[in-house]
Amino acid sequence: MDDLALARILHVVAVLMWIGGVGFVTLVVIPALRRLYPPDRRLAAFHAIEGRFAPQARLWVLLAGASGLWMIWRGAMWGLFADPSFWWMHAMLAVWLVFAVMLFVIEPLFLHRRMATSPDPAADFDRLDRMHRLLLAGSIIAVIGAVGGAHGLF
């Protein structure tokens, strides 16, 4: 097996675990918290669960980024970013950048403190729900584009 095949395997597994986790949190955990907790306790319950998931998400996002960068560098694919028919490369990079900034900068430096001292936890939980749905939708579009694009659909 060559290094590009190994990088692709790592990339697919990392994206599967990362975006699959986002889907689970968005479509299962958040709705369950809505049913199980009163509005003012949902945010705290979410953070109790999210605290276990965030380190895993960071690992998968790092692995997806490293393997993606390796494939682009090793495969000399930088020029694909200049071709509009490879829009899905931009979509993958954009989704990765949003999550990397969220997980490594915004959450640890700002968001956790803001949520801990939230004046309106119910409104913040609703905002968190909307953001997760938007990020999941963007992620699904990027995955569809990447799989379709890698197989000549676009």
Side-chain angles (χ1 to χ4, degrees), residues 4 12 14 35 39 51 54 64 66 102 106 109 124 132:
L4 277 171
V12 169
R35 281 190 308 277
M102 282 297 299
I106 295 172
L109 297 179
D124 282 341
H132 269 83

Side-chain angles (χ1 to χ4, degrees), residues 1 17 26 43 67 76 81 86 88 98 107 129 136 139:
M1 179 176 344
M17 295 301 290
T26 305
L43 192 60
S67 58
F81 284 103
F86 286 89
W88 48 274
V98 167
E107 272 189 12
D129 184 11
L136 180 60
S139 299

